[in-house]
Amino acid sequence: KAGVTQTPRYLIKTRGQQVTLSCSPISGHRSVSWYQQTPGQGLQFLFEYFSETQRNKGNFPGRFSGRQFSNSRSEMNVSTLELGDSALYLCASSLGSTLEQFFGPGTRLTVL
Amino acid sequence: DQQVKQNSPSLSVQEGRISILNCDYTNSMFDYFLWYKKYPAEGPTFLISISSIKDKNEDGRFTVFLNKSAKHLSLHIVPSQPGDSAVYFCAASGPGAGSYQLTFGKGTKLSVIP
């Protein structure tokens, strides 16, 4: 069974640009969650999607948005990038709840 | 305000001995707790979990203990092996909409010395 895949793995952008990250969940998993990991703040919850609907959202500004497609694949978008957005962005999938979320390898975003 | 705290950023243990990683939480609504292990350049990997209706869960070398009155949980690894060297994250979730998100601690880096 293939794991959670995230593309791209590495990304370099400049301030003010926007970026779209992609996540393909494990086959059969309908829930996709996104997390931001930084050295200072650890892993912080961004949002969670289930059956194309956002069920929960963390405390991030509106520049961070996401969506989920009918095949459960998910994208995350960050507009007007700031230096502080540099982080590892992790996607996790599960059957439908937080029980045993399976994480992808992450996308390392660097904002210059 | 951090709702899940791992107060030890790092821990070193001799191979074969017990590793004890600790985690404290402040939100009394949390009812499910998980431990994840993370190697560099990889995503976190689920290790073991425990529901608030239990006080202990065991899986091979890994045991998680939950003390609800103290809002404290711990992960015991016995015996510790060099391959256990990684960053360990404690995570928690709550009922309702809270069950759809994990709140993580900042992690403890475990080094198992051969």
Side-chain angles (χ1 to χ4, degrees):
Chain A
K1 198 178 205 181
V4 178
T5 58
Q6 292 187 245
T7 56
R9 291 293 311 275
Y10 302 91
L11 205 49
I12 299 175
K13 292 285 187 178
T14 57
R15 280 182 298 173
Q17 287 187 308
Q18 75 163 19
V19 67
T20 299
L21 312 181
S22 181
C23 171
S24 292
I26 291 171
S27 177
H29 285 192
R30 296 168 65 190
S31 169
V32 173
S33 299
W34 288 90
Y35 295 85
Q36 181 196 65
Q37 185 184 11
T38 57
Q41 297 299 319
L43 274 146
Q44 293 188 289
F45 173 77
L46 280 156
F47 28 66
E48 186 258 359
Y49 287 87
F50 181 83
S51 293
E52 302 179 66
T53 301
Q54 186 182 90
R55 286 198 299 194
N56 207 355
K57 189 176 189 302
N59 296 322
F60 278 81
R63 299 185 298 107
F64 292 81
S65 62
R67 59 177 175 168
Q68 187 180 34
F69 301 95
S70 58
N71 61 358
S72 294
R73 190 177 70 85
S74 178
E75 286 182 348
M76 191 192 95
N77 185 275
V78 188
S79 63
T80 320
L81 284 166
E82 301 176 0
L83 295 179
D85 297 333
S86 294
L88 181 67
Y89 290 89
L90 291 159
C91 163
S93 76
S94 70
L95 287 170
S97 72
T98 56
L99 298 178
E100 292 192 40
Q101 286 190 348
F102 295 85
F103 283 82
T107 294
R108 171 73 63 185
L109 172 65
T110 302
V111 182
L112 302 175
Chain B
D1 183 34
Q2 257 197 296
Q3 298 187 69
V4 177
K5 299 179 185 179
Q6 294 176 257
N7 292 319
S8 299
S10 62
L11 175 69
S12 289
V13 172
Q14 288 287 336
E15 179 179 4
R17 305 295 291 269
I18 183 171
S19 295
I20 300 176
L21 296 100
N22 294 303
C23 177
D24 297 295
Y25 62 96
T26 58
N27 188 340
S28 58
M29 297 299 289
F30 287 146
D31 60 2
Y32 197 77
F33 304 89
L34 307 90
W35 284 93
Y36 281 83
K37 176 170 74 172
K38 187 179 186 301
Y39 293 118
E42 294 183 13
T45 303
F46 171 77
L47 262 180
I48 191 169
S49 61
I50 187 167
S51 164
S52 60
I53 63 173
K54 295 186 174 183
D55 54 19
K56 177 183 174 181
N57 189 25
E58 196 170 350
D59 184 1
R61 297 187 296 114
F62 302 91
T63 303
V64 56
F65 295 92
L66 175 62
N67 182 333
K68 288 189 292 294
S69 60
K71 294 191 179 70
H72 177 83
L73 63 155
S74 60
L75 174 68
H76 292 210
I77 306 173
V78 184
S80 301
Q81 300 173 353
D84 296 329
S85 297
V87 178
Y88 289 78
F89 291 96
C90 168
S93 70
S99 70
Y100 307 137
Q101 72 175 79
L102 290 175
T103 300
F104 283 85
K106 293 189 177 182
T108 297
K109 184 176 182 179
L110 173 66
S111 299
V112 180
I113 304 160

